[in-house]
Each structure stands twice: as structure tokens, then as C-alpha cells.
Amino acid sequence: MEKKHCITVTVVIALVIVVVAVVLGITLGKRTFKQEFEYRCSKFESSKKYNCTEIWHEFEKAYVNQDPCKIPMNAYDSLVAAAPFEHACNKTLFWSKTKNLVHDLTKNRDDVNLEKTLLGSVLDGVTSWCGKMGSSETLTEGCPVWTKCENNPPRLFWNRLSTAFADFACENVTVILDGSIDTPFNPTTTFATIEVKRIKYPKVKSLTVVIVPQNSTCNSDSLKALKSALVQGITYNCKEVTEAKIKKCSSDPKTPIGKCW
């Protein structure tokens, strides 16, 4: 009887240890926002040139102890300065409504979209962070959504980084647009409201628009509006390229990106 009791106690203790270990493993395995930020930063290909902890401090300075709907326009200036772009400026690739297609295309190439930069990669897919008055904490819950107010932390960050990204572009740049919608050059998108307005001649010589044709083609009124929006002097080119062709290029990174269209 005593032997059976001992066996039962031993099994119970073992089960408790397993449960505690699993719970502890799950808890320790889930990184905090700060830990995830620094982890992604450390994984960036040229991260050895940067102190990721210092970059985090520059990042949080933009919004901690502030009203999350009243972040100053220049809040992220010091962060952008702390992590300058390093890619060749003529390898800049913009996108609008074609994120996944572009990410696959540039994944194994030296052409760069915004999310392949250090800061872009660190916060890609992150939609919620903020601070609050009287606190030095970074919050990820209860923060204003993108459309609630114009100067919320994520929206201001991506607008500021997009501005810097477009300012950095040079020579011949490309944008890939979604031809499945009626307005591939949508006047409310980041590309229309920020990036197109920041690419300047003579630093930028030409813009090649690649459209995946379905509902819209190079002759659509939407793309005529894009051409009109360009700064005088920038050469405008438009090419209709099937999604299948772009995907084929994605699977063959040795093909120069210009040959994909």
C-alpha cells in the first residue's frame, strides 16, 4: 500500500514539474516588444555596425511620456539618423498594394524595398506601440489605431521612414503597383502622399512603373495622374508585367531585376 502511495506521489510531482517547465518555457520563449526589437535588429545583415540597444533608446524617446495622438512631427528624426540607409541608392524599389510580391522579388537580391532596411525590418508587421503621459513605459495594447489620429507613433514612424527612403533614392528607381484595382496610384497611399513627392530631379533621373495588369493598365487614368505628379525632369516609363513573370524572377535571383520586365 505504501509503495503504491509513493508511486502515486512521485507521478504527481513529476506531472507538476512538467507543467511548470512547460509554462516557464512558454513564458521565457515569448519576447517582450523591446526584446523582439533588439532581436530583429541584431539579425540584420549589417547590424554589427550598430548598437541595437542605443537604437532602441532612440526609438522609444520618440513617444514615451507623451500623448499617443500628439507625437511631434520630428520625433523620429534622431532614430533615422542613428540607422542610416546603406544600400545603393539606385537599387531603391517602391511598392503600393504589392508588398508580398515585392518582398519575394527582392528577398535574395541587392534591390531594396523599405522593409529590407534596418528600421523597416525591425518594425515590419508591427502595428501597435505607444506611450502615455507620466510614464516611461512602451505599451503595445490600448494604443490608437492607424486612422484614429494622424500623429500616432506607428503612423508617424512609417511616414518618417518613407520620407527618408524616398529622399535617399537616386538615378533610376522603380515602383510596382497592383493592376487588379481601379486606382493603382491611389492618392491616399504612402507612395502617393509621401514618396512620389520626395523623389526629385536631378538626383532621380527616371521612374519605372511596373503594373501587374488586370483591371488597370499603363493607359489607365490613375497612372496618368502618377505621371503628372512627378517632378519635372524625371523620365516616366510604364511596363505591364504579369504576376507569373515576376514570380518566376523571384525564383531566379541571378536574373537582374531589370530583366524581370
Side-chain angles (χ1 to χ4, degrees):
M1 186 72 177
E2 290 181 2
K3 187 175 182 181
K4 289 183 179 179
H5 179 70
C6 289
I7 292 173
T8 302
V9 171
T10 302
V11 170
V12 170
I13 292 174
L15 287 172
V16 170
I17 292 173
V18 169
V19 170
V20 170
V22 169
V23 172
L24 185 60
I26 292 173
T27 303
L28 294 177
K30 185 178 181 180
R31 287 187 283 266
T32 64
F33 182 78
K34 178 178 183 291
Q35 289 169 338
E36 182 65 21
F37 183 103
E38 293 185 348
Y39 173 77
R40 290 188 182 188
C41 177
S42 69
K43 292 299 181 182
F44 191 74
E45 58 185 352
S46 60
S47 62
K48 292 181 180 179
K49 298 181 181 180
Y50 302 106
N51 184 318
C52 291
T53 300
E54 289 183 4
I55 290 176
W56 164 260
H57 289 319
E58 291 297 334
F59 170 69
E60 66 174 355
K61 275 171 30 180
Y63 57 83
V64 295
N65 194 26
Q66 297 186 61
D67 184 325
C69 275
K70 295 181 180 179
I71 307 300
M73 293 295 292
N74 64 347
Y76 289 106
D77 285 1
S78 62
L79 172 67
V80 171
F85 301 124
E86 296 186 321
H87 60 279
C89 58
N90 64 341
K91 294 289 186 177
T92 302
L93 182 62
F94 300 104
W95 60 266
S96 185
K97 308 295 185 183
T98 54
K99 180 179 178 179
N100 292 338
L101 192 67
V102 168
H103 281 206
D104 288 344
L105 182 63
T106 63
K107 184 177 181 180
N108 296 308
R109 287 183 166 85
D110 56 2
D111 302 274
V112 175
N113 50 275
L114 186 60
E115 296 76 21
K116 278 188 70 176
T117 65
L118 174 58
L119 293 178
S121 67
V122 165
L123 290 164
D124 184 24
V126 183
T127 59
S128 181
W129 72 82
C130 66
K132 64 179 179 179
M133 295 296 295
S135 173
S136 61
E137 289 184 288
T138 291
L139 307 175
T140 55
E141 296 180 354
C143 298
V145 297
W146 184 276
T147 55
K148 182 177 180 179
C149 49
E150 188 172 347
N151 284 12
N152 66 69
R155 183 171 179 173
L156 198 62
F157 167 80
W158 285 111
N159 286 350
R160 179 64 184 87
L161 194 63
S162 294
T163 298
F165 188 63
D167 286 345
F168 186 76
C170 73
E171 297 180 15
N172 307 308
V173 297
T174 303
V175 61
I176 299 182
L177 302 178
D178 182 6
S180 69
I181 55 180
D182 293 331
T183 54
F185 179 61
N186 189 315
T188 65
T189 60
T190 300
F191 179 64
T193 59
I194 295 176
E195 292 165 338
V196 162
K197 296 178 179 180
R198 302 296 299 196
I199 55 176
K200 305 290 186 181
Y201 180 83
K203 186 177 182 182
V204 173
K205 302 292 192 298
S206 71
L207 173 68
T208 297
V209 176
V210 175
I211 186 163
V212 182
Q214 286 183 39
N215 294 341
S216 299
T217 66
C218 286
N219 294 321
S220 69
D221 290 338
S222 178
L223 294 191
K224 290 176 182 178
L226 169 54
K227 184 178 181 179
S228 298
L230 289 177
V231 171
Q232 186 175 2
I234 296 177
T235 301
Y236 172 89
N237 302 296
C238 184
K239 298 186 178 183
E240 299 173 8
V241 185
T242 64
E243 184 173 349
K245 185 174 182 180
I246 293 178
K247 286 183 174 181
K248 184 178 180 181
C249 268
S250 297
S251 64
D252 184 14
K254 292 183 179 180
T255 300
I257 201 166
K259 298 291 186 180
C260 296
W261 38 78

